[in-house]
Amino acid sequence: MTRAPERMAATQWLVVSVMIASGVAASLHVGKVPPALPAVREELGLGLVAAGWVASIFSLIGATIGIASGLAADRFGARRVLTAGLVFLVVGSVWGATTDSGAALLATRVLSGFGLVTVAVAAPGIIVAVARPRDHGLALGAWSIYMPAGMVIAMLSAPLVLPWAGWRGLWLLHAGLTAVVLVIVLIATRDASGQAGVPRRISTEALRRPGPWLLAAAFACYTVQFFAVATWMPTFLVESHGSTPEAAALAGALVVAANILGCLVGAWLLHRDVARWKLLAVTFLVMAPCAAGAFSSALAPPLAVALATIFSAVGGLLPAAVLAGTAVHAPNRGHVATVNGFVVQGSHVGVVIGPPVFAGFVAVFGSWEQGWMLMVALGIAGLGVTAGIRAVERKQGAAAA
């Protein structure tokens, strides 16, 4: 694989930080929904199924248009697509705050979902454009914190905002924060170097390479496990250990927050030239047993939460490793958004199917403990994908970002 020459004196870390902020702002619109759903359901008269669609439509959109969004970002320029995505999020959230029906609210969530996906696929293209090749692993690995960071901020802030502003006020608050980030993005990227804003013809070369498909598969194996645990851990603590809903929600936020640490450690290890496949292998080897132990009713709640926290922290190595891999597996810098589209689509497939599939195992076998079979199966599948990634990168001579 031909690597881009080192053409800049230093990585533009300010722009990289602004890109991460744009991702965090986008993911706020994911994390705000679960704590607000009871109020939304009561005011709009939503049934359980309709409320579920309000929460999950983001992931369904990501699972269907990730690759197409990446191709669009490479065609029209990452900066243009990123700013459009942030505008979609602002408009969708403001529109949502003024709706008076479940159908209208769902339409606003569709618009916001397009915004999230376009931000997620376009921002890495700008990061690659403003970072030295030597810093791609560190910069893209740091970018991987955007989803858990935004979710944690939303999960912790929503209970403070909802009592005095209601869910509509929460929607407007996040719209305002996203609008601020949009302005900062426009200012910070106006002189961004490289190909981040240059339109080009759509190329399907990335689709013919095995690397992007393997990265997407690895992320899907991971997100099925991660979102199954993140979704059901609070419920498990309440049902099996008698925890209060407040304590269970706090434990859930702790588990998600631990993922941020893992992402940052993964970015640092990649920068230290630790091979990507090693980080992936460690992730899949550790997550399955930790998840199995976390859902054991024989363990005291603090130990169960500790295992779930370790599960999440070690799991954070994978987003860093996979997202940094987009620069390695792209045919060139102009195709990073397309490859990232694979990753986004794979991750959201896992988000969509993870919670219901895990719940299905619990329902069929009658206990939370039996979910270990799903976790082990995904761990084995993930190790198989890891072997494929190792083989491809050894062939390319690019085992590290």
Side-chain angles (χ1 to χ4, degrees):
M1 173 178 163
T2 301
R3 301 300 298 268
E6 192 125 350
R7 297 189 295 176
M8 60 182 64
T11 294
Q12 299 176 41
W13 289 110
L14 176 60
V15 178
V16 173
S17 299
V18 171
M19 291 303 99
I20 295 172
S22 72
V24 172
S27 65
L28 288 173
H29 298 268
V30 179
K32 72 184 181 185
V33 173
L37 268 184
V40 172
R41 290 186 63 196
E42 181 178 358
E43 184 173 336
L44 299 182
L46 296 184
L48 194 60
V49 173
W53 278 113
V54 169
S56 64
I57 195 68
F58 268 38
S59 298
L60 185 61
I61 291 172
T64 54
I65 70 164
I67 296 173
S69 297
L71 287 166
D74 282 334
R75 166 64 181 88
F76 297 106
R79 184 174 185 266
R80 292 178 178 84
V81 172
L82 173 66
T83 54
L86 291 170
V87 169
F88 289 160
L89 286 163
V90 172
V91 173
S93 202
V94 172
W95 181 17
T98 64
T99 57
D100 56 4
S101 72
L105 181 62
L106 186 60
T108 72
R109 293 292 289 169
V110 170
L111 180 61
S112 296
F114 277 99
L116 171 68
V117 174
T118 52
V119 169
V121 301
I126 297 177
I127 290 174
V128 168
V130 302
R132 297 182 305 167
R134 178 70 183 87
D135 293 331
H136 283 170
L138 181 61
L140 289 171
W143 155 255
S144 67
I145 73 167
Y146 80 92
M147 182 60 76
M151 290 181 64
V152 168
I153 292 171
M155 292 167 68
L156 295 179
S157 63
L160 302 177
V161 176
L162 288 169
W164 62 270
W167 71 269
R168 297 180 187 274
L170 184 65
W171 260 236
L172 291 174
L173 173 63
H174 287 166
L177 292 173
T178 306
V180 171
V181 171
L182 170 61
V183 173
I184 295 172
V185 165
L186 290 172
I187 295 172
T189 62
R190 65 185 184 279
D191 297 321
S193 61
Q195 302 172 347
V198 180
R200 58 181 63 82
R201 290 167 55 183
I202 289 179
S203 170
T204 58
E205 183 179 353
L207 279 66
R208 298 191 294 270
R209 292 180 167 229
W213 296 98
L214 291 169
L215 292 176
F219 221 142
C221 290
Y222 159 80
T223 52
V224 171
Q225 295 181 77
F226 180 79
F227 279 91
V229 173
T231 299
W232 295 116
M233 192 67 195
T235 302
F236 166 74
L237 292 173
V238 171
E239 292 186 356
S240 297
H241 293 290
S243 299
T244 65
E246 294 77 13
L250 185 60
L254 173 64
V255 170
V256 175
N259 196 248
I260 300 172
L261 176 62
C263 291
L264 294 175
V265 170
W268 179 77
L269 291 173
L270 287 167
H271 192 61
R272 301 289 296 178
D273 294 328
V274 175
R276 187 179 342 279
W277 73 267
K278 292 181 180 179
L279 299 184
L280 300 179
V282 168
T283 298
F284 288 120
L285 286 171
V286 172
M287 287 180 71
C290 283
F295 284 101
S296 172
S297 58
L299 298 180
L303 186 54
V305 173
L307 285 173
T309 303
I310 295 171
F311 161 95
S312 178
V314 175
L317 298 175
L318 187 140
V322 169
L323 289 169
T326 58
V328 172
H329 290 275
N332 54 58
R333 285 201 320 184
H335 294 83
V336 170
T338 297
V339 177
N340 199 62
F342 279 83
V343 173
V344 169
Q345 190 150 336
S347 69
H348 283 284
V349 167
V351 176
V352 169
I353 69 175
V357 170
F358 186 83
F361 268 79
V362 173
V364 169
F365 294 101
S367 70
W368 290 98
E369 285 88 345
Q370 301 309 312
W372 71 266
M373 292 182 286
L374 174 64
M375 298 301 179
V376 170
L378 289 166
I380 293 172
L383 289 172
V385 174
T386 298
I389 291 173
R390 182 189 184 193
V392 170
E393 293 192 347
R394 290 185 69 178
K395 185 177 180 180
Q396 292 178 175

